[in-house]
Structures are given as C-alpha cells and as structure tokens.
Amino acid sequence: MSNKKKKTAKTAKITPADVKSHGLSTSEYALIKKIMGRAPNMVELGIFSVMWSEHCSYKSSKRWLKTLPTKAPWVICGPGENAGVIDIGDGQAAIFKMESHNHPSFIEPYQGAATGVGGILRDVFTMGARPIANMNALRFGNPKHPKTKHLISGVVRGIGGYGNCVGVPTVGGEVNFHSSYNGNILVNAMTVGLANTDKIFYSAAAGVGNPVVYVGSKTGRDGIHGATMASAEFDEASEEKRPTVQVGDPFTEKLLIEACMELMATDAIVAIQDMGAAGLTSSSFEMASKGGLGVELNLDNVPQREAHMTAYEMMLSESQERMLMILKPGKENLAEKIFKKWELDFAIIGKLTNTGRMVLKHGGKIVGNLPIDPLAQASPEYDRPWVPSKKPKILRTDDVKDVDWRQALTKLMGSPDLVSRRWIWEQYDHTVMADTLQRPGGDAAVVRVHGTKKGLAISTDCTPRYVKADPTEGGKQAVAETYRNITAVGGKPLAITDNLNFGNPEKPEIMGQIVGAIEGIGEACRRLSYPVVSGNVSLYNETDGNPILPTPAIGGVGILENVDNMMTLKFKAEDEVIILIGQKQASSGWLGQSLYLRDVVGKETGAPPPVDLLHEKVTGDTVRGLITDGLVTACHDLSDGGLIVGLTEMALAGNIGCKLTDPGAPRHGMLFGEDQGRYVVTVKRENVKKVTYQVELTGIETRVIGTTGGNTIAIEGAGNVALKALRDLHEGWFDSYMAA
C-alpha cells in the first residue's frame, strides 16, 4: 500500500510563531516546505528543527571545518563518525573525541556536566572502544561573581559523580576564569578509548529489512529540544529552559557499556549509533543517510518511562543512556538475551527500507513522513559575513611596568588561573582501572595501554585571551600547547580533537574569530603533522549580547612506546643543572597578553606571542629525543606565567627549590614573558655538555640558567621567595574559596 493511502494523523497548521520557537528562520522554513512538497506537521517541524540546529548541522562552521587537515598514515577514521580513530600499533587503535555541554551546565550544573560526560563516553564506546580516560576543559566566570562558586561546585560534582560511578578515570584537564564566562560557562568533556583495529564499529545502516533496535534506558520527557537550546543565545529567561537539560544515570551507563561490549564480541551488529543530541531523531536519520536507505519506525514500541508520550516528545527527547542498532536478521534473540541479562531495555522499533524516507507510526497512524537525504544533506550551509580581527599592536617590554619579581611571582602563584586544581581533581577517581601513570597536575596525563609497555599521553589546552587578541595566532598556540605538553612527558603527538566555543556567528566580528581560529588550527596541524580526527562546534555562547572569549579548546593524544621513559615535571634531586631550551636569544620576553600583564600590572592588551611552527617541531623532536635517551631528569613546557612560574611549578611538585643566575635585563620580560616553543629540563652535571651539544646540533638554542636545591626560589643577587609561602598560596586558594 502506498503512503498516500495510509491513514495520516491530522495536525494543526504551523504558524510563524511555531517556526520561530523552533529556532528556524523564515528562509529555512521555506526550504523545508520545498523539500517536503507541502507544509510539515508539528512532528516533522520538530525533526527539522533539531537536525538543522547549529549544534547538529554546523551550518555556520562546516564551510571552514572542511579546510582542516584530517588525514595521516596513522588515521583510521577522521571526522564524520562518532569519534576519531588512530592506529597506535600492534593491532590497536585509540578512539577519542571532545564535546561541549555548555548551555545545559549553566542552567543545571550537576546534570549538565554529568550528562556531558555520559554523552562523550557513548560516542567512544559506540565504536567498539572501551573508555580508558576522561578529561575536561572548564571555563568559569569571575570568582567574585555570585554564581561562580555554585557553578563550580555543581559541575565538579557532576563530572566526578558520573565518571567515578561509571568506572572510568578522570585523569586531567584545565580550568580558567574570566568575566566573559559569567553568564555562559564552558564544560568541554573528552574521552579516550581503546579498541582492536579489526573490531571498530561504524554507524552506516545497511541491509533492507534489517531490524532497527533500541537498547538502554527508557525514553522520558527530559532533554526535549536540548540541541535547539544549545544553538541559541542566553537571556534573562534562560533559567526557564531547565526542562531541556537531560538527567543522567551512570550506573545504567556502566551496564550499557558492558552489554554493548558483549554484543560487539559477536557478529550481530551491522551498525550502531548512540542517541545523543536530538536523540532518536539524529541517530536514526544519520544511520539511514550514511547507508543510503530509508527507515520505518513504530513509536508504539519505544520503551517509555512516562505515560502518554507523543511522537514529537519521543523523537526529540534526549533521555540518556540509549543506543540505536541495526542487527543482522536472526540475531535479535541473541542481542535481547544479552541486554536483558544486563537489565536494560531491548525493543525492535522498526526496519530498514529502500524508500529513502523516514516513516513514523504512532497509535496506528503515520505521524511523520520525511525524505532522509534531502533533510540531512540539504541542511543550510551558510557563508556568513565575517571581518578579520584587527591585528593588535606589539607591546614593547619597556612599555610594561617592572614590578619586583618576588612580589609578581607571589601574586601569580595565588591567582585563580594558576593555583593548584587539587580541590577539583581529588573529587575525581583518577586511578580506577589501575593504568593511570601520571595524575592530574602534570603537563599531560599518561595512561598505560593495559597489558603493554605503551602509554597514551593526553592533554587539553587553549589560551582564550590569546585567541581574542589574535584568533589565528591563538588557534596555532592552542594546538602547539597540546603538542608541547605531550612532548614534555615523552610522548609523540599523533592527532587532535577540537571543541570550538564561540559567540554568535551572525555577528561578523565573531564569525571573523571563528574563521581566524580555524585557519590557525589548520596551519598548526599541517606543519606539526598532527591532524584533526574529530570535534565539536559550540556557538551562540553569549548572554544578553555579551560573548565569551573565543575558546577553541584542543584535545591532543600521543603515544609513548615505552612508559618506562615517561617524564614528569618535578625536580628530582638537589644540585642538578637547569637548562632552558628553545628561548630565542634575540627575545627580551614577550609580555603582550601575558598573565603578568593582566594579573600583576592590571592590563589586557597587546599582541599574543607568535608561534613559530617549524621551531615548535624541531624543538619538540629534540626534547623528545633527550627524554627517550634518558638524558634529562625533569621536563616542563613553558606557558602561562613564563619561565619563573614554570620553575616554581617544578619546585613545588618536587618540594625542592632552585637558584637561578640573573636573567639580565629586562628582568620582568625574561622571567614572566610567555614566548612560545620553550621547555625547561633538569640534567645531572655529568650530562650537561652532552645535552647542550645534542640540542645545539639541531639549531635550537640552550642556556644553563641555574641549579636545583634549597627551600626557596632564588635569583642570584636579587633575593628569594620561600617555597612554603608559595605553596600555601598555590594550594590553599581553592580550598579557601570554596569553603568561604
């Protein structure tokens, strides 16, 4: 029987107010009617709304995302799947991705952050990988803002509550504060998993007549229009959007991981997709579109935890811990037995067809009939107007006030952006699974590949103030910073995932930031042989017209072939020689956009430090070689706060002080400048000549700058600061702030 002869549900006429409330423009609604050949009903309008939302379609950014480098000999699967896949040798693959949960976390910080962790876990294990590590990149408003403490508390509890219960270690991340995030915090979650290269699962549906199977939790009314909400600016009424925030259950997620892993060990699965943003709608459309097929769903069979749910609610719900699968015919009983054993719902809710259409049935009526490819592939792609960000003036070191270095260091080590995050990461279980080799607080996390000598090094980084001042240089720096952090622990950087957080792309200056940052990221990835394999874009991060700092967070993953060679940043012994690697002798210290300038002098101005990518590559390869050869005893890359802050972090980690030679004039530039591409290493005295010779052979400059020892940070002829005083400031801030 043709669709025309089937009984179709009648719906009310769509009004302009309906279109607007669904986040669609007048021109987009006109395109919908053209695609449909008629006006949509409310169910169909809701489906278009979420599928064409910024969060799901990337309509403002995909033109530029296509310019990013995504291929390398070790890349198995780049962007387009649930997560990126890279070959790490021995028939094994690392699968990873970073994704945002910003808007939900501002509205309901505990559940927003918790379900952000749950969603990124599903993106990884849906591809056949067992999750082995979680990371996060968090941005909060001014610590003095009345909501900041509440948001920190809720987000940290949400991340810890979900990750700890599901049994995946949270091994690191980053936290920044800035008033631009007062009304729009950022919660970016990253997961890394391991799989065998011959057991990776993809989402393209195949096989006309094959069953479409729903597994996991029941569907409720939470999270409806979550994707649409995540694609809009906030205003004073944002608190009313609380019902669009999902509610998570980590214990169910753990069961779902184990059930999926058990089924994946069989040959039953044709395709699999998690129900993330836009829930049943996006998962079913994406699977069918990738496979070039149609789908017929009977929504009466969808497991529901609330009575009288409508087709609209079921298709748009973002209830958590749910997956959609295409099974081979005859494997239904096997799969059902596994999921019932793990006390999870299992339901056959439809089948694949050759029609190329999505047909939805509910209560004996057809409630939706949409063309799949035209909806998915004809989603708007905007070339939005943009203006390049004006290049800021380069700030001369002599133009920056020279504050006594002891006073400045004390100020910085107690500033919110630099203080110890121990209060946060002690709430996370970072040792579960017993393979965490480097805990939070180092340059990069290191997790052993279970049962082997290999390890994965993982880092998340971005310096938003750099990106605001110069999006291209800031984008380059974010990539280079993860590259350096992975290098500093002895890892070889392999690939990145990105999470591009920006304001309203309909504003040309914001779109200019997006374009500039993507260009910078792309250039860095190409020059460093460090491709993008997955990512997420989060736009409209602003409240009442006030945008966040542009924040293209980068998550990097690298490999250590032998974890016995892993390096840490802490000073190991007294009377070792400290060597600075990569400082260009012509530099007097770059203070533009530095933390010294912002937090000590009280100005946010100037150009950020430039990133020389060839210098980064050569210096990184050289330092990695020193670590592998066992020639250094500690290593730390230099970033926020410059040389003296980096040394203080090494001293605090090892509880050993240091004495430096006078760095020369201008002292504040040499000590606090944030020049890029630099590392500090400690070396036993007998290896100093060998190290300096080996580095200088590559054309990279080195300088012996002091020795370890004592209980102060001292500069020859210029005084000292007690390590204990710095520790009290550095480690006490978060405890005092959260307890107040």
Side-chain angles (χ1 to χ4, degrees), residues 199 201 258-269 334 338:
K199 292 292 285 184
F201 290 81
E258 299 306 328
C260 287
M261 291 292 166
E262 185 173 338
L263 185 60
M264 285 168 170
T266 73
D267 65 345
I269 299 174
L334 167 67
I338 290 172

Side-chain angles (χ1 to χ4, degrees), residues 13 64 286 312 455 489 548 599 680 701:
K13 183 179 179 181
W64 300 99
E286 288 170 10
Y312 181 97
V489 299
I548 61 164
D599 291 353
V680 167
E701 298 169 10

Side-chain angles (χ1 to χ4, degrees), residues 24-62:
L24 294 163
S25 68
T26 303
S27 60
E28 287 170 345
Y29 183 61
L31 180 58
I32 289 170
K33 290 194 290 185
K34 182 178 179 181
I35 289 171
M36 294 288 290
R38 57 175 172 80
N41 62 33
M42 191 60 75
V43 174
E44 294 162 340
L45 183 72
I47 288 171
F48 272 99
S49 168
V50 293
M51 289 297 290
W52 285 11
S53 68
E54 194 74 57
H55 190 75
C56 291
S57 74
Y58 297 161
K59 56 191 175 186
S60 296
S61 58
K62 57 187 172 183

